[in-house]
Amino acid sequence: MEESMYLRLKAAEKRLAEIDEELMDENVTRDLKHFKEISKERSTLEPQVELFHRYNKLQSDKEQALEMTNDSDPEISELGKEELKAISIEEEDIIEKLRVLLLPRDPNDDKNIVVEIRGAAGGDEANIFAGDLFRMYTRYAESQGWKIQMMDANPSEAGGFSTISFMIKGDMVYSKLKFESGAHRVQRVPKTEASGRIHTSTATVLVMPEADAIDVEINTADLQVDTYHSQGAGGQNVNKTESAVRITHIPTGIVVACQTEKSQIQNREIAMQMLRAKMYATLLEEQQEKIGNERKLKVGTGERSEKIRTYNYPQNRVTDHRIGFTIQKLDRVIEGELDEVIDALVHYDQAQKMAGEE
């Protein structure tokens, strides 16, 4: 292990002990913001320190194994060599894991997310594809034990959605789905296509970390709140009272709406969640542009050329164009089996960060 890594881990060990001591003070819980901050810091440091302790134990085991290799008894000497080999393999594995754990951590990784999917280029087929993506993320969330909360939906008469917004709640949701933002392209024969020609359509996905009042301050004087009757596909009236809520943040022009709940109060609360998430996402994007550290494409206009991923049905192929990753498992991916795609993106991001540190 390099000296710089060793010193960072010693500092992490010391800091973890300081946090544990601080958390024993009952006064700490009175400052919720500070309590939240140090609890989050602890959850980052703990796995680093646990692996560091395992590494130190291996160093002790290695010394004993070296002594065994010098034993006059051939059997003990051979046993020592085998032990030494096993220790070296585990040692390399621990160091590699520690490299990843010591990478700069995205402070939003453990947050819930707000997802917005829009049918873009391609008319009805784009909306149908937006519905397919919604089902894909829903099934993936279910496989992870996460929960889905609907926020807003505008169904399309042909099927799918022109727009749909929802929240995914669970453990480390943003860390796994943060790379999904962008234009997703589908190539297939639409059900409405009589001649059997392959069409290309797109839907855009925007993934935003959930934000609370600590992350984003909103002045109520800057808000324009409108209420209206909830509408369904085709414009039929779903609710005879004005329970649907539309909120416009006047300084930024950001507009959000919610009509999923029967209560105007609940719809307003959900709309405010969406507004905070959108404002927070805008702040994050501005920060990333300032430091020149934008690694992923953000959602664009939805034009066919602005693709991050292609779903090719005739070839059963999914290709992520940002990292040149392709698998012939579209039938399983679209049913929510996203692990291979997500793992490839996470590993690529880690490799980029490691290269940057070097």
Side-chain angles (χ1 to χ4, degrees):
M1 182 184 291
E2 304 96 327
E3 185 181 5
S4 59
M5 181 186 282
Y6 185 84
L7 291 174
R8 285 180 68 184
L9 289 164
K10 286 295 290 182
E13 184 181 47
K14 181 183 177 183
R15 177 59 184 149
L16 183 63
E18 289 172 353
I19 291 174
D20 284 342
E21 188 174 343
E22 192 174 351
L23 287 171
M24 290 175 69
D25 183 353
E26 58 183 30
N27 292 323
V28 172
T29 56
R30 291 175 186 169
D31 185 345
L32 289 178
K33 184 178 179 181
H34 179 62
F35 178 74
K36 182 180 175 183
E37 287 172 353
I38 63 172
S39 295
K40 186 182 288 189
E41 185 182 359
R42 191 189 188 287
S43 68
T44 300
L45 293 172
E46 188 176 27
Q48 297 175 10
V49 174
E50 284 181 355
L51 271 181
F52 183 48
H53 289 164
R54 177 59 189 159
Y55 173 83
N56 289 334
K57 174 69 167 56
L58 282 180
Q59 304 316 299
S60 175
D61 294 344
K62 188 191 284 189
E63 290 179 11
Q64 293 178 17
L66 279 169
E67 287 180 15
M68 290 171 67
T69 60
N70 296 322
D71 198 279
S72 57
D73 187 325
E75 287 187 10
I76 294 177
S77 178
E78 186 62 31
L79 193 64
K81 289 176 184 176
E82 289 177 7
E83 184 74 14
L84 202 59
K85 185 179 179 182
I87 288 169
S88 296
I89 292 171
E90 186 179 355
E91 185 180 38
E92 287 178 16
D93 181 57
I94 286 175
I95 290 174
E96 192 59 34
K97 286 177 179 176
L98 283 168
R99 285 190 205 283
V100 173
L101 288 173
L102 288 171
L103 287 173
R105 188 172 179 271
D106 189 330
N108 295 306
D109 273 352
D110 59 354
K111 289 191 174 185
N112 300 325
I113 61 172
V114 173
V115 185
E116 182 181 89
I117 304 175
R118 292 179 175 270
D124 287 341
E125 174 63 8
N127 293 339
I128 292 168
F129 181 49
D132 293 338
L133 291 176
F134 169 63
R135 187 183 65 176
M136 178 181 78
Y137 291 126
T138 298
R139 294 195 171 182
Y140 177 69
E142 288 171 353
S143 74
Q144 301 296 306
W146 299 337
K147 295 186 183 300
I148 300 285
Q149 177 191 345
M150 291 302 303
M151 304 188 88
D152 193 36
N154 292 293
S156 168
E157 287 188 22
F161 302 90
S162 57
T163 63
I164 183 165
S165 301
F166 54 100
M167 181 177 282
I168 304 180
K169 301 179 179 181
D171 186 36
M172 304 296 288
V173 180
Y174 186 73
S175 71
K176 291 191 176 183
L177 291 179
K178 62 183 172 183
F179 300 114
E180 294 302 298
S181 288
H184 295 239
R185 181 175 74 166
V186 63
Q187 294 174 323
R188 64 185 176 190
V189 178
K191 293 176 183 177
T192 54
E193 176 58 55
S195 64
R197 288 188 303 116
I198 295 172
H199 284 228
T200 298
S201 306
T202 58
T204 60
V205 176
L206 180 59
V207 175
M208 301 165 281
E210 182 185 17
D212 52 34
I214 295 173
D215 300 314
V216 179
E217 286 187 21
I218 299 176
N219 187 343
T220 53
D222 292 334
L223 302 179
Q224 177 184 317
V225 181
D226 300 303
T227 59
Y228 56 99
H229 296 299
S230 296
Q231 298 292 315
Q236 75 265 27
N237 192 281
V238 174
N239 196 326
K240 293 183 179 179
T241 61
E242 292 193 348
S243 61
V245 175
R246 182 188 300 108
I247 300 176
T248 304
H249 185 251
I250 298 167
T252 61
I254 295 173
V255 180
V256 294
C258 181
Q259 58 178 355
T260 56
E261 304 297 326
K262 292 181 180 179
S263 160
Q264 188 183 115
I265 294 172
Q266 288 175 306
N267 282 329
R268 178 173 177 140
E269 192 176 308
I270 293 170
M272 285 300 295
Q273 284 182 308
M274 293 170 67
L275 179 60
R276 280 194 294 267
K278 285 199 171 190
M279 291 181 67
Y280 188 48
T282 302
L283 288 172
L284 291 177
E285 197 167 357
E286 289 173 356
Q287 289 171 5
Q288 288 167 337
E289 284 174 0
K290 282 180 183 177
I291 60 176
N293 194 30
E294 184 68 52
R295 283 193 180 89
K296 63 179 186 295
L297 295 175
K298 286 289 183 184
V299 65
T301 60
E303 291 300 319
R304 289 175 176 85
S305 60
E306 295 182 357
K307 60 186 182 295
I308 64 164
R309 190 177 299 152
T310 293
Y311 304 75
N312 185 294
Y313 275 74
Q315 298 175 20
N316 196 36
R317 170 174 56 83
V318 177
T319 299
D320 196 289
H321 304 284
R322 296 164 293 181
I323 60 175
F325 176 79
T326 296
I327 53 172
Q328 308 289 140
K329 298 178 181 178
L330 184 150
D331 55 332
R332 286 152 67 176
V333 169
I334 207 69
E335 292 300 321
E337 296 183 27
L338 277 166
D339 285 318
E340 282 188 65
V341 180
I342 289 169
D343 287 347
L345 287 162
V346 170
H347 292 155
Y348 178 83
D349 183 59
Q350 289 173 347
Q352 291 293 97
K353 285 177 179 175
M354 284 184 186
E357 289 221 322
E358 290 169 7

